[in-house]
Amino acid sequence: MSLDKDTVKKIAYLARIRVPDEALAGLAGELSNIIGWVEQLAEVDTDGVEPMTSVADMSWPRRDDKVTDGGKPEDVLLNAPQPENTPDGGFYTVPKVLE
Amino acid sequence: MSAATDLTALSIADAAKGLDGSDFSAEELTQAHINAMEQARDLNAFITETPELALERARASDKRRAKGEAVGALDGIPIAIKDLFCTKDVLTTAGSHILDGFKPPYESTVSANLKAAGAVMLGKTNLDEFAMGSSNMSSYYGPVKNPWRGKDGKDLVPGGSSGGSAAAVAARLCLGATGTDTGGSIRQPAAFSGLVGMKPTYGRCSRWGIVAFASSLDQAGPLTRSVEDAAIMLGGMAGYDAKDSTSAQMETPDFTSGLGDGVKGLKVGIPKEYTMDGMAPEIQALWDQGVQWLKDAGAACIDVSLPNTKYALPTYYIVAPAEASSNLARYDGVRYGLRVEGETLDGMYEATRGEGFGEEVTRRVLIGTYVLSAGYYDAYYIKAQQVRTLIAEDFRKAFDEVDVLLTPTAPSAAFAIGDKMDDPVAMYLNDVFTVPASLAGLPAISVPAGLDGDGLPLGLHLIAKPFDEVTLFRAASALESAAKFEAAP
Amino acid sequence: MTYLISGESGDWEVVIGLEIHAQIISQSKLFSGSATGFGAGPNTQVSLVDAAMPGMLPVVNGYCVAQAVKTGLGLKAQINKHSVFERKNYFYADLPQGYQISQYAEPIVGEGTVVLDMPDGGTRSIGIERLHMEQDAGKSMHDQDPKRTFIDLNRSGVALMEIVSKPDLRSPEEAGLYLRKVRSILRYLGTCDGNMEEGSMRADVNVSVRPFGSDELRTRTETKNVNSVRFVMQAIEAEARRQVEAYDDGEEIVQETRLFDADKNQTRPMRAKEFAHDYRYFPDPDLLPLVLSDAEIDAIAQELPELPDDRKDRFIADFSLSAYDAGVLVAERETAEYFEKAALGHDAKLAANWVTGNLFGALNKAGLGISESPVTAEALGALLGLIGNDTISGRIAKDVFDEMVETGKGAAEIVADKGLEQITDTGEIEAEIDKIIAANPDQVNDFQGGNEKAIGWFVGQVMKVTGGKANPKVVNELLRKKLG
């Protein structure tokens, strides 16, 4: 399967990565090569084979229902980019979203 | 040779003896490495140096030792930490622009374990961006130079992704360094730099606090100059961690316990599928030599078959990017790191991630997004996870017959900086021998075993059963003794 | 009665399915140890896991899993012993990981049934498609600043159950009954407080319409995050009507997510997230599959409380209540428990009347819930006791009850203070009757002339002079004897 520019544009949007239009063609070529190469898996007979969900053969660990964390908004907000955009109230901010 | 240079030439084991015998202090040992680190900045091995923090910890170690309270073989040992491990209040970049200025308010479990064992962190080492690469050329902070040079004097890559760690240990800037290995990111740079590089069983080291690349594959491990050092250092890194659901709830054994036992009677599997078309004759020759060494030491070498080996790399290049595409979604400019403003929320996301991620990361995130997207999920992702089951099954069957497997580590020695950049798939082939064990979660180690025609180091690779690191180190130690690799950059 | 919307082209039937998001009652979040309480300061209940800091990993809260299993059992549903957490990938301001950990291909609970009590006294079974666990997102605040949206992650990672019905509902009323019934079951189980005002329960409403009599399934829309029973009903009506009008105008319905505007009583398409969704689900590699043993499931089953349907059956059988009264009493766990406590040792039917009549009336007037009732179940029981042993009449009891509501005093105390005990001393009542007969010959003649109803006038007179305290039965008997 080869990926065309539109497909690359679509998946770049799904991944929210801006790709300049002039870079689309080159990227489409590279990604097509990679996808073409991994498609050799098609020749493996996997009928009835369970997909691996966990490489570790162990049972799921469970936490007790106790409050052991939180209560440190200063740590949470410490690295917020452009702190001038983080108002005193202790929120993160993003460009205005219209619902 | 000055005393300071002498100190940087020690193994961890010998340095620990020297500290115990008061031949030198941890502060002296640390200072010697700080000096070396500062003089070797040309290698670009470190993204962040933390000399003051190191001296502080070294002095604390000296105080413990003076009071007879030293906590073990790593107390006072200067090491470097790959900049993929979050370190409290110390810049953590993952080699990416997108983590600009990020100082975590927390310490990764592995680096915290090492700290608790008394190890002294000298700084954070360079790496491929988000550990994606085999050359260290994808780092936002620039490529790392291998301290080894070819005959033509060209600058070589140290391998990747743990390239800064490999260069730092090889250049005697630290006694050991942490790496992480997703498809070969410890073992391949170890082979390129004449070092021992070890990836433990998936679940042996906690992933908590390590910037995630591919969660089902990522494992931390040591890069050192001897097998014994690797065993000592892994002992300081490993252990069950309730904060990582995939952490193995088992006791950590003494990884050094089998080092002197030899390999008499050990069954070593030689997987025929690892003979690749077009493989360099000197790689094949070294591998044959390795078989002979182990036979001479009393091991039984047995041909085994791992029929799905050739599918491991394409499987890996579906699974790892798929997981990465999701793991890297959190770098969105909202809570930490780089933010490039936009008019809308999506505009901000796209600008931040477009500017923040380098080419290789972008490529892999897009591949991962594609293989998970509607209509392709079954054909790519599910298919790859099925093949992964078959690959793990191959290993299980082989390990019914043998104790360890011997293969080459990498298909070539270190190559020049800038090579293979125009062909991602050619670059991916660097990991052809290391990826299968990663997919199956198995412990594996690269041991420096010889030099190629250009005088560059080559490694041999051993793979063991899950959680049988003791046998892995035992076989590696025998290989090390036989190979007598003493060359230095 | 079939609910139909009449359009220009004929009658249309409405096909409704509900996805209920119910917050699991737990101290800490689904994958982190931070607290879940409502109303805390911004970002104060956020762990580094909830904020998706690099390298942070989820660990499952075992209690939340048990709560989900318990809910599945309460919905008479299949419990899946093997289920898988997956990542639902999308970008949004209040989704810090860039994915929501949810369950997709393998949910923890499969098909089940909820029985609705219909107003006509009958029942109707609504199918449950599945129940899965997932983590909540944070909260976006759009109205705090002209240019920016503020993000609070306190809710980020709170455990939710998504309960998905089959498209079995056919009217806003049914949808309302279904939502109330599920809420009642969750409250009985103690797995969700059902508090829609605080957002611990909300519903996504899937609506499509089809010409009456057809069994086709047309394009449906999903109206998101509707946060009260009334709004769910209104949203269905508004959306169904919109769809019928669109079809009548020859337009097509687009599959999309919409929002309900209660002020305008209409739905509108969501502006954000209007791109085609591609959630790229895959199993979360940070978590292992959830594997449950029979023993674990059995242990949870042992803890199940009596559920509303069973309790209703018991009330009908044991207390001879009508299906309607029993249904009303069991709808809320607190009401049922109040009733049982109040009725203990007394006439259950009388108790049912008092709870659904006087008590509900008083609570409604005061805007209080039953758990805040100024008259406790024990206090009401005491009042019922005084009626039962003829200490006071039913009429006086109403006054006493009002006084109890107002002052919080006990019934016995009020009766004693005000001297409200019934007069059963026939001598005292006889004396009063004699006086009244002597003073009112016209009424006596009227009664004796055959006007039976005139006896009521005499009773009234007696009650008047005794301040209502005379035992009405004794008064009647004596009047008939003397007038007869």
Side-chain angles (χ1 to χ4, degrees), chain C residues 106-167:
Chain C
E106 297 185 68
I108 190 162
V109 175
E111 294 189 334
T113 309
V114 168
V115 178
L116 305 187
D117 299 303
M118 304 306 289
D120 64 5
T123 60
R124 202 161 121 57
S125 287
I126 304 300
I128 297 289
E129 179 71 33
R130 58 187 274 157
L131 175 156
H132 66 255
M133 280 181 282
E134 63 187 22
Q135 49 176 185
D136 204 353
K139 196 172 160 198
S140 300
M141 275 152 281
H142 307 296
D143 51 2
Q144 310 269 316
D145 185 281
K147 285 189 168 159
R148 297 170 300 176
T149 289
F150 289 8
I151 310 296
D152 173 14
L153 297 180
N154 280 351
R155 288 195 66 84
S156 167
V158 165
L160 301 179
M161 299 178 278
E162 181 171 330
I163 302 165
V164 182
S165 82
K166 292 180 184 278

Side-chain angles (χ1 to χ4, degrees), chain A residues 10-17 50-80 82-99, chain C residues 26-35 42-48 51 53 59-63 65 91-93 141-153 259 268 270-272 275-276 278 280 283 288-292 296:
Chain A
K10 207 186 91 197
I11 58 174
Y13 177 67
L14 266 182
R16 297 296 187 281
I17 299 178
E50 275 295 308
M52 187 179 277
T53 46
S54 168
V55 66
D57 179 23
M58 48 176 108
S59 61
W60 59 286
R62 32 192 114 181
R63 259 179 35 245
D64 288 341
D65 184 32
K66 286 184 184 141
V67 177
T68 56
D69 211 339
K72 43 186 181 193
E74 60 288 350
D75 275 4
V76 169
L77 296 162
L78 181 69
N79 282 284
Q82 302 174 343
E84 70 275 15
N85 268 353
T86 304
D88 297 339
F91 298 97
Y92 294 110
T93 64
V94 296
K96 186 141 185 119
V97 178
L98 301 172
E99 279 205 326
Chain C
S26 67
Q27 297 298 311
S28 63
K29 293 180 180 177
L30 183 52
F31 297 114
S32 83
S34 47
N43 291 307
T44 57
Q45 296 184 159
V46 179
S47 78
L48 301 172
M53 293 284 165
V59 182
V60 179
N61 182 336
Y63 180 72
V65 174
F91 285 88
Y92 197 60
M141 275 152 281
H142 307 296
D143 51 2
Q144 310 269 316
D145 185 281
K147 285 189 168 159
R148 297 170 300 176
T149 289
F150 289 8
I151 310 296
D152 173 14
L153 297 180
L259 288 174
R268 60 171 168 85
M270 280 178 89
R271 268 182 279 185
F275 53 86
D278 191 342
R280 292 159 283 136
L288 298 161
L290 284 187
V291 179
L292 300 168
E296 269 176 289

